[in-house]
Amino acid sequence: MKYPHSESLKKNRDFQLLYKEGKSRANRYLVLYVKENGMEKNRFGVSVSKKVGNSVVRHRITRLIRESYRLHEDMFNSGLDMAVIARVSAKGKSMDEISSALLHLGKLQGVIKK
């Protein structure tokens, strides 16, 4: 069985709706908002504030989060809008640390397949 690939969550109103109506869980490095979207695909977005660092640091964290989601995409349930917000403590962390933080939040939210 082939899994449908996720799309990006891009529009500001989609993020705002997710923040308002979605459920959130947090750990040391990341915050994950989740809401059902009624589609077959997931939509995934990443937000990294200027408080975290300069553009080089922010883009690196964004790439790490996106890549860790891409590698574990088949573990997540379908039909979800998800937004990950990086905390300041995520600055300078390795791929393994970010990846395990994302999977931990997925388990807390109950969006990882058993």
Side-chain angles (χ1 to χ4, degrees), residues 21-84:
E21 297 179 4
K23 294 190 168 141
S24 68
R25 293 277 189 271
N27 60 22
R28 186 181 299 160
Y29 304 130
L30 305 172
V31 180
L32 176 66
Y33 283 85
V34 175
K35 178 180 163 294
E36 289 189 15
N37 62 16
M39 301 188 317
E40 302 261 327
K41 298 181 177 186
N42 287 343
R43 294 192 305 171
F44 187 77
V46 179
S47 176
V48 184
S49 167
K50 285 186 178 181
K51 291 178 190 174
V52 176
N54 63 21
S55 66
V56 175
V57 172
R58 294 194 312 268
H59 283 89
R60 180 178 188 279
I61 293 171
T62 302
R63 287 193 309 273
L64 290 176
I65 293 169
R66 283 193 194 283
E67 181 66 5
S68 63
Y69 175 73
R70 187 189 68 81
L71 291 173
H72 300 99
E73 187 173 6
D74 57 337
M75 295 173 68
F76 286 85
N77 294 332
S78 296
L80 302 169
D81 280 351
M82 293 183 280
V84 176

Side-chain angles (χ1 to χ4, degrees), residues 3 7 9 15 19-20 24 26 38 56 62 67 70 74-75 83 85-88 92 102 105 107 109:
Y3 296 98
E7 296 177 353
L9 198 61
F15 276 95
Y19 297 151
K20 187 176 172 187
S24 68
V56 175
T62 302
E67 181 66 5
R70 187 189 68 81
D74 57 337
M75 295 173 68
I85 300 166
R87 291 183 153 183
V88 176
L102 182 64
L105 288 175
K107 287 176 188 161
Q109 287 278 33

